[in-house]
Amino acid sequence: MPGRVCRFAWKLCLIALIMFGPSVTLGSADPLSIKIGSIRLVENELTLSIVEKAPENDGFAGAELGIADNNTTGKFLNQTFEFVDIPLKSGDNPLPALQTLTEAGIKFILVDLPPEQVLAVSDAAQGSGTTIFNVGSSDDSLREENCRSNVLHIAPSRTMLADGLAQYLVLKRWTRWYLVFGSHPEDRLWADALRRAADRFGAKVVGEKMFEDTGGARRTDTGQVQVQNQISTFTQDAQDYDVMIAADENNVFATYLPYRTWEARPVAGSAGLVPSSWHAAHEQWAAMQIQNRFAAKFPRRMRPKDIQFWTAVRIVGEAASRKNSGDPHVLIDYIQSPDFSIAAFKGQKLTFRDWNWQLRQPILLGDGVAAIAVSPQEGFLHETSTLDTLGIDRPETACALK
């Protein structure tokens, strides 16, 4: 048995040498240590269904798995990775957390914060050599008019999510959409992205209606019979349509739409068929491997924020292993170069758009139990990358990186 273990270890060392070249020094005296930080908002999210409620370690669990994966590779390259997490409550100022991390010498920081706080953190970090990974916000303005050169966007944007959904619906020839949107600013931005996607891919929004958020206790104030009657009546006057599209980022009404609409029609967007960066039932392209490892480490299934945190952590680990360096300038130069890519169980290598530092990635479409499809869909072509059919393309961008 000891002989087998030794032979196995030498095989792994040989693989490391082949992958990363002769510059790798195995077993050197001083291990290379890289710290990755995180600033994330942890709040008691209101949902319409108890199964939709996010776990407290949403995203953080993915980062922990990513650190474990980095250290597995780092073991043979004499590299170690550490994760330093600072959770915040709603209303907390993120800048003291940023100062704590930068004073600890941490140059790679994951942020899961509202858009205005992402901007505050990125502007405060300008000139310090710190790279911010946006792992939570889908806000397009962060990639466009408010883009920053020190922010890499791992979370897909609203336009990417809308385009991924639109491609599938158009492929199915469900091109007549009835759009129901919420009364919050985020709902209106999501609705704008969906309208843009309809125009871009040949669908038509045949009617619209706003669902006003009147407050209340979500689950406790409404019974099933009452909701059934309300939603049926609310959708009764909708023009003839193929699919009802919901824009409800604040989880006020969309969960109530499927099976309760006046007409027998599918629902998509914020409920029904939902676009996201990940799905708990995704199995293709060896995704079952990371799904099983995640479930073994945590007593739940992997969620979109988990894969976004994991991907950000792995990007740093991949750069460190390829360059055999912990120098943040060396690593970020490589990450932002055309040579960099990261594998993330989505069927193709992911790369960054050099016009706004958005990570190109497929969009998964799924319902509550099944992964239905992955966009970009077949037949939607692009001159450089089919992934650039999702979201703001180079000729459209309003980003001027600073």
Side-chain angles (χ1 to χ4, degrees):
M1 180 63 70
R4 290 183 180 180
V5 172
C6 289
R7 287 196 297 273
F8 179 68
W10 275 109
K11 286 180 180 179
L12 289 175
C13 292
L14 181 60
I15 290 170
L17 284 170
I18 292 172
M19 290 178 63
F20 307 113
S23 61
V24 175
T25 304
L26 300 172
S28 61
D30 298 319
L32 185 67
S33 178
I34 299 174
K35 292 182 179 180
I36 302 172
S38 168
I39 306 172
R40 60 190 177 99
L41 182 62
V42 179
E43 57 184 345
N44 186 21
E45 180 187 15
L46 294 174
T47 62
L48 296 177
S49 168
I50 58 174
V51 302
E52 292 177 327
K53 187 174 176 62
E56 191 170 311
N57 65 348
D58 192 21
F60 174 72
E64 283 197 313
L65 184 63
I67 289 292
D69 291 348
N70 283 357
N71 281 324
T72 297
T73 302
K75 184 187 307 181
F76 303 102
L77 304 175
N78 210 20
Q79 299 175 352
T80 62
F81 294 82
E82 181 183 345
F83 190 63
V84 180
D85 177 59
I86 300 181
L88 303 180
K89 295 180 180 179
S90 182
D92 286 351
N93 184 352
L95 297 187
L98 173 67
Q99 183 176 356
T100 298
L101 294 175
T102 54
E103 287 178 352
I106 298 174
K107 296 296 185 181
F108 301 102
I109 300 176
L110 284 53
V111 297
D112 179 15
L113 299 169
E116 62 277 7
Q117 290 191 333
V118 175
L119 281 178
V121 168
S122 62
D123 287 345
Q126 282 279 8
S128 66
T130 301
T131 299
I132 305 299
F133 291 84
N134 169 28
V135 293
S137 177
S138 61
D139 190 82
D140 277 280
S141 72
L142 293 177
R143 287 92 168 156
E144 295 302 309
E145 61 270 22
N146 291 321
C147 66
R148 298 292 188 268
S149 59
N150 64 336
V151 181
L152 303 181
H153 302 282
I154 310 303
S157 66
R158 287 190 183 95
T159 52
M160 292 172 66
L161 296 169
D163 288 350
L165 176 63
Q167 287 188 13
Y168 180 77
L169 296 180
V170 169
L171 189 70
K172 295 289 291 180
R173 300 186 179 180
W174 298 344
T175 56
R176 295 171 59 82
W177 299 0
Y178 191 86
L179 177 63
V180 182
F181 58 94
S183 55
H184 293 274
E186 300 86 357
D187 304 330
R188 295 177 183 275
L189 292 172
W190 183 206
D192 288 343
L194 291 162
R195 294 187 194 98
R196 172 189 173 278
D199 291 340
R200 191 180 195 192
F201 296 110
K204 183 179 181 180
V205 178
V206 298
E208 298 187 10
K209 195 169 187 178
M210 185 179 76
F211 192 103
E212 185 74 34
D213 183 5
T214 58
R218 306 285 172 98
R219 293 192 299 269
T220 57
D221 284 356
T222 54
Q224 290 184 2
V225 174
Q226 182 181 358
V227 168
Q228 180 174 319
N229 292 335
Q230 285 178 339
I231 295 300
S232 181
T233 302
F234 179 81
T235 60
Q236 183 176 359
D237 60 352
Q239 296 92 325
D240 185 38
Y241 61 96
D242 298 322
V243 57
M244 181 166 286
I245 308 292
D248 177 28
E249 288 199 6
N250 285 274
N251 213 301
V252 173
F253 67 90
T255 301
Y256 291 152
L257 289 176
Y259 312 110
R260 292 188 174 109
T261 55
W262 183 266
E263 299 289 346
R265 298 291 186 272
V267 175
S270 296
L273 186 66
V274 178
S276 64
S277 62
W278 194 251
H279 193 281
H282 177 49
E283 296 180 330
Q284 296 183 70
W285 307 300
M288 204 61 211
Q289 178 252 108
I290 192 172
Q291 297 272 34
N292 287 339
R293 289 194 295 112
F294 186 91
K297 192 175 181 64
F298 306 99
R300 62 178 181 85
R301 305 304 302 180
M302 200 169 194
R303 295 165 54 92
K305 277 191 181 178
D306 293 314
I307 197 65
Q308 289 158 200
F309 274 72
W310 179 90
T311 302
V313 169
R314 283 292 300 122
I315 284 171
V316 177
E318 178 74 5
S321 64
R322 293 290 175 180
K323 304 307 289 185
N324 193 29
S325 173
D327 185 330
H329 298 290
V330 171
L331 300 188
I332 194 60
D333 284 348
Y334 175 58
I335 290 169
Q336 293 182 320
S337 76
D339 297 328
F340 181 81
S341 65
I342 187 74
F345 307 98
K346 293 187 179 182
Q348 51 188 304
K349 294 179 178 179
L350 312 187
T351 59
F352 282 101
R353 293 171 177 157
D354 59 10
W355 60 89
N356 62 4
W357 299 129
Q358 169 67 56
L359 184 69
R360 296 179 176 95
Q361 58 191 287
I363 298 299
L364 278 62
L365 308 174
D367 62 7
V369 296
I372 307 299
V374 181
S375 291
Q377 299 294 321
E378 185 176 356
F380 292 88
L381 305 178
H382 192 275
E383 59 185 0
T384 56
S385 169
T386 57
L387 290 176
D388 284 340
T389 64
L390 306 174
I392 304 297
D393 201 359
R394 186 189 298 274
E396 307 169 285
T397 187
C399 175
L401 290 168
K402 300 176 182 179

